Amino acid sequence: VQLQASGGGLVQAGGSLRLSCAASGSIVSISGVGWYRQTPGRQRELVAGISIAGSTNYADSVKGRFTISRDNAKNTVYLQMNSLKPGDSAVYYCKADRVTSIFGSWADIWGQGTLVTVSS
C-alpha cells in the first residue's frame, strides 16, 4: 500500500494548484485523509482533512482558499489551493488514518511530500 502525492510546483502569488494523493495496492477502503505541510524548522501542520463520509475541516489560515475533496472510486484525495500566498510555500504531505487493501489494513500511512513554492 502506498500513497503518492503529486501536483506541487512553482506558482505566482494569487495563483492556484491542485494536489493529488492517490492510493495504490489493491485498495478496498481509505478512512480519513489529511493534507499537512511543513517548512524548515517548523512542525508539520494539518492544513485540511476529510473523513470517509466527506466531512471536511480546515486550518484557519486556509479557510476559504483551499478545498479538500475525495474520489473514492479512484482512491484519490485532492487539495485545490486557490489564492496562494508566499506563506503557503511548503512541502505538502498527505496521510491516511487507515488504508485497507485485500492484503490487510494499515494505520497512519504517509505519502511522500510534494513541494509547493509560491513566489511574490
Side-chain angles (χ1 to χ4, degrees):
V1 169
Q2 288 187 331
L3 291 183
Q4 180 77 29
S6 63
L10 173 64
V11 64
Q12 289 188 330
S16 298
L17 284 173
R18 188 176 81 155
L19 306 183
S20 297
C21 176
S24 61
S26 301
I27 303 301
V28 173
S29 65
I30 305 171
S31 65
V33 175
W35 279 100
Y36 297 75
R37 65 186 180 189
Q38 188 172 27
T39 54
R42 299 187 66 178
Q43 285 190 331
R44 198 170 293 187
E45 64 170 348
L46 177 65
V47 174
I50 187 165
S51 72
I52 192 170
S55 298
T56 59
N57 61 282
Y58 298 93
D60 287 344
S61 59
V62 306
K63 281 181 181 176
R65 299 188 298 121
F66 291 11
T67 302
I68 189 171
S69 62
R70 63 190 297 160
D71 184 335
N72 291 331
K74 295 183 178 179
N75 295 318
T76 302
V77 172
Y78 304 98
L79 185 67
Q80 178 67 43
M81 305 187 296
N82 299 328
S83 303
L84 283 162
K85 306 174 181 179
D88 295 318
S89 297
V91 178
Y92 284 71
Y93 301 88
C94 58
K95 182 183 80 73
D97 293 336
R98 180 166 292 278
V99 179
T100 300
S101 80
I102 62 174
F103 303 109
S105 182
W106 292 264
D108 296 333
I109 303 296
W110 286 91
Q112 92 294 355
T114 184
L115 178 63
V116 172
T117 304
V118 184
S119 63
S120 57

